[in-house]
Amino acid sequence: MSSLSTHVLDTALGLPAQGVPVRLYRGDVLEASGTTDQDGRIGELAQTLEQATYRLWFDVAAYAEATGQDIFFPEVSVTFTVADERHYHVPLLLSPFAFSTYRGS
C-alpha cells in the first residue's frame, strides 16, 4: 500500500498555510480529510492507498478568510494517480492569484 502527505505554502505571505481544510477523494468517495498544521503540513493524510486515481481538494476560501486575503481561486483540486507502492507527497504553493503543485518526495 502507498501513503500520502501534503504541504501548503502561502507564497504571498512567505509562510506555511496553517488551517487549510483538505479532503482526499477516490472517485466520489471521501477517503480522508484533515487540516494543515502550523507548518502547513498534513504528514499522514492517508496510509493505505491502493492503485487508483485520487483527488485532493483544498478549501482555499476558508484559509483566505482566516488570513484576511482576497483570493481568486476559492478551491484547488489536484487529481493524481497512485501507480506503485511508495509514499506520495503533493505540495501546494498558493498565492491570491495563482497556485502550483508537483509530485514531491
Side-chain angles (χ1 to χ4, degrees):
M1 293 286 175
S2 297
S3 60
L4 174 70
S5 60
T6 189
H7 189 197
V8 184
L9 296 172
D10 184 329
T11 59
L13 298 178
L15 298 170
Q18 180 178 357
V20 177
V22 179
R23 295 182 190 148
L24 176 67
Y25 293 93
R26 181 177 173 185
D28 291 331
V29 176
L30 178 65
E31 294 284 329
S33 64
T35 303
T36 57
D37 65 14
Q38 69 276 5
D39 290 324
R41 296 180 183 275
I42 302 177
E44 293 185 15
L45 185 58
Q47 297 178 356
T48 57
L49 296 179
E50 297 177 359
Q51 291 184 3
T53 299
Y54 294 88
R55 179 173 46 96
L56 270 174
W57 179 83
F58 298 86
D59 188 351
V60 176
Y63 172 74
E65 183 177 334
T67 57
Q69 297 183 71
D70 290 327
I71 197 151
F72 183 70
F73 298 100
E75 60 186 49
V76 172
S77 182
V78 178
T79 303
F80 62 98
T81 301
V82 170
D84 54 10
E85 291 188 15
R86 57 173 284 165
H87 177 75
Y88 288 83
H89 182 69
V90 181
L92 177 67
L93 305 176
L94 183 63
S95 78
F97 303 106
F99 66 88
S100 66
T101 187
Y102 56 95
R103 187 177 86 178
S105 57

